[in-house]
């Protein structure tokens, strides 16, 4: 399980079976160019692997208005 905090919604959830950042974003309905994924204060690229127990922040970066 990967714990995800969504920003700016400030909502937390857990995701099963997301091996890479790209898979995680797909499960969340986010596009890689429109969201940042942060783990331990560092930005993750779409190809990086995630592991069970990770805590990440997914932050939307595009304009919504």
């Amino acid at each position: 399980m990967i714990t995800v905090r969504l920003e700016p919604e400030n909502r937390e959830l857990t995701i099963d079976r997301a091996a890479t950042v790209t898979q995680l974003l797909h499960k969340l309905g986010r596009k890689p160019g429109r969201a940042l994924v942060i783990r331990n204060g560092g930005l993750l690229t779409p190809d990086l692997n995630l592991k069970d127990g990770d805590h990440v922040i997914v932050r939307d970066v595009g304009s919504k208005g």
Side-chain angles (χ1 to χ4, degrees):
M1 295 283 230
I2 299 164
T3 303
V4 179
R5 188 174 77 212
L6 299 173
E7 293 183 354
E9 298 101 317
N10 201 27
R11 186 170 55 118
E12 196 166 290
L13 50 97
T14 56
I15 299 290
D16 241 358
R17 295 183 293 234
T20 66
V21 171
T22 298
Q23 288 177 358
L24 173 69
L25 291 173
H26 179 72
K27 285 181 180 264
L28 295 171
R30 306 293 207 282
K31 294 183 181 179
R34 308 276 301 175
L36 300 175
V37 179
I38 304 160
R39 178 177 59 196
N40 298 328
L43 293 175
L44 303 180
T45 57
D47 62 323
L48 284 178
N49 290 330
L50 298 170
K51 55 187 180 291
D52 203 31
D54 274 345
H55 293 265
V56 298
I57 298 169
V58 175
R59 184 175 297 153
D60 289 335
V61 294
S63 172
K64 294 192 180 192

